Amino acid sequence: MATACILLMGSVLAAAQQLYPMRKFDRWGYIDGSGKWVIPPKYQMALDFHDGLAMVKDTYQGGEVWDFINEKGQKVIQSEYFGFGTFLKLFDYKVTILPHQHFSEGLIPASIQILDPNYRGEPVSGYLNKEGQLEIYGYYDKVGNFQDGMARVEKGGKAGFINRNGDWAIAPIFGAAGSFSNGLAPAQDYASGKWGFIDKKGKFVIAPQFSKARDFTNGLAAVWKDFKWGYIMPDGSFAIPLQYRAADSFSDGFAFVTTDKDAYFIDRHGNRAFDTGLYEKMCQSRAFVNGAALMSISPANRGCNPYRLVEDIVLVEDTNLLVYVNAQGEIFYRQDMEEYYSINKIRRP
């Protein structure tokens, strides 16, 4: 019995290990929370793990391909076409998954092209499962991630929600919508253009009053009103007043915000997090994912180099120093200066 307990604890600890994409010179791989390389840096690009799978970019016969790997580094879904995204041929369909998409509740949004050149019908979209098979598809214009068992779907210029059977749970009557969390989802009233929050019956429980609104995450939702961002609680009251020029959703207890003069992470009370001098060197930061945030910083006596993003998620070009910060604000991995000099092709001092 004791041996079984030890084995069980070991398997739990192994399952709890988180992996984080990181670049070494011009190749990407994955490190763990101690900064140790777990999947060697061999990809042209590597994205975050969600639901146990991550998208990586490779080169094959001179072309760009994006595949999905598991936490052992094994390819589980491989692209059959070149290009920006994963492309599969299933039945008479060409299925496309773009790099800004990710798995959630075992499914990932996909657009579907019917290969019959004579097809003139409605657009088709759906969801791919982790085996690379179409699980849900229909005449939808665009689909979002499943959360709380429901997914936002757009059709005919309006948004609604479907369930795991692909049936309409909430008819498409909104101008736009986000995702459900703890029974609430942001939705735009079609008539007024204002955003509020609906329950799973499609009824507004927080009245449409905001110019923009994000999903509830970690119990708070970012909202924009009177040209400022703040955060509300599920009862509609403000937890953090309207005061920011930009504000991301909370993740792992932190949200990235900007003011007219500064940019930093805040905690759920609106307090500035990790006030350790790191922000003075920061050039750009991703949100926290799986307990860590990837930042780029400028070395001593140097300014920030230009960087370029795609879909606000894929770090395409950033020649500043890359570092990982954990939920305690501690740097657990920092690129070597040798990499900085080599990538920027500058002479060592």
Side-chain angles (χ1 to χ4, degrees):
M1 182 64 71
T3 302
C5 289
I6 292 172
L7 290 173
L8 178 60
M9 289 179 63
S11 64
V12 171
L13 290 173
Q17 177 180 250
Q18 300 289 357
L19 299 181
Y20 307 99
M22 190 63 200
R23 185 184 67 203
K24 189 172 183 64
F25 292 100
D26 62 344
R27 287 291 182 268
W28 287 76
Y30 291 87
I31 59 175
D32 63 15
S34 68
K36 176 185 176 183
W37 286 96
V38 178
I39 299 177
K42 56 184 178 180
Y43 307 109
Q44 289 191 336
M45 176 60 60
L47 305 184
D48 292 302
F49 274 94
H50 293 274
D51 240 9
L53 297 181
M55 207 181 226
V56 295
K57 176 185 173 183
D58 239 330
T59 299
Y60 179 72
Q61 294 183 351
E64 172 184 342
V65 291
W66 291 80
D67 302 320
F68 284 91
I69 62 170
N70 61 20
E71 290 165 333
K72 296 180 179 180
Q74 300 165 331
K75 291 185 177 181
V76 294
I77 302 176
Q78 294 185 249
S79 187
E80 299 177 41
Y81 302 88
F82 296 129
F84 184 70
T86 301
F87 305 96
L88 305 173
K89 185 180 184 301
L90 300 174
F91 307 110
D92 293 326
Y93 308 137
K94 182 180 180 181
V95 179
T96 301
I97 303 169
L98 295 178
H100 70 277
Q101 302 286 9
H102 62 81
F103 276 93
S104 175
E105 299 187 4
L107 298 174
I108 191 168
S111 61
I112 300 170
Q113 176 188 352
I114 296 177
L115 295 177
D116 182 355
N118 298 315
Y119 181 75
R120 298 293 184 270
E122 300 178 70
V124 180
S125 294
Y127 295 87
L128 209 70
N129 62 26
K130 290 185 178 182
E131 286 70 47
Q133 301 169 339
L134 277 174
E135 189 161 313
I136 301 172
Y137 56 96
Y139 295 114
Y140 315 127
D141 297 340
K142 185 185 289 188
V143 294
N145 277 104
F146 269 92
Q147 288 186 200
D148 267 10
M150 298 173 67
R152 169 188 50 81
V153 168
E154 297 177 16
K155 184 176 177 64
K158 295 182 180 180
F161 292 83
I162 61 171
N163 59 26
R164 288 294 294 248
N165 295 322
D167 300 322
W168 288 104
I170 300 174
I173 59 173
F174 304 103
S179 297
F180 273 97
S181 177
N182 296 324
L184 295 177
Q188 183 187 43
D189 178 62
Y190 191 78
S192 68
K194 295 292 185 181
W195 285 77
F197 289 81
I198 60 172
D199 60 19
K200 287 193 171 183
K201 295 181 180 179
K203 304 297 183 183
F204 277 106
V205 294
I206 299 176
Q209 57 189 289
F210 307 110
S211 300
K212 296 179 184 178
R214 304 194 192 282
D215 301 343
F216 271 99
T217 54
N218 297 170
L220 298 177
V223 294
W224 191 49
K225 188 177 182 180
D226 300 329
F227 303 102
K228 293 181 180 179
W229 285 91
Y231 294 86
I232 63 170
M233 295 188 290
D235 63 2
S237 62
F238 274 92
I240 303 173
L242 297 164
Q243 58 185 296
Y244 305 111
R245 187 178 66 180
D248 291 342
S249 295
F250 272 87
S251 177
D252 294 323
F254 303 102
F256 194 70
V257 298
T258 61
T259 65
D260 290 335
K261 298 180 179 179
D262 215 348
Y264 49 89
F265 282 97
I266 59 172
D267 62 22
R268 295 183 69 257
H269 302 290
N271 300 319
R272 181 179 173 124
F274 321 134
D275 200 1
T276 60
L278 183 64
Y279 295 124
E280 284 70 26
K281 302 177 181 179
M282 186 179 66
C283 303
Q284 187 258 343
S285 179
R286 293 187 188 177
F288 271 80
V289 178
N290 298 325
L294 177 60
M295 294 183 179
S296 65
I297 62 174
S298 59
N301 303 319
R302 290 189 179 274
C304 291
N305 297 322
Y307 57 85
R308 183 167 64 93
L309 305 177
V310 173
E311 306 283 1
D312 294 329
I313 295 179
V314 183
L315 194 61
V316 176
E317 291 176 0
D318 194 325
T319 60
N320 300 290
L321 276 180
L322 298 184
V323 302
Y324 259 110
V325 178
N326 63 22
Q328 288 72 48
E330 303 163 338
I331 294 177
F332 65 86
Y333 187 91
R334 179 195 299 264
Q335 284 184 318
D336 293 331
M337 283 301 296
E338 181 68 23
E339 294 183 55
Y340 178 83
Y341 297 135
S342 297
I343 291 171
N344 289 285
K345 299 178 181 179
I346 56 178
R347 182 176 298 177
R348 285 76 170 158

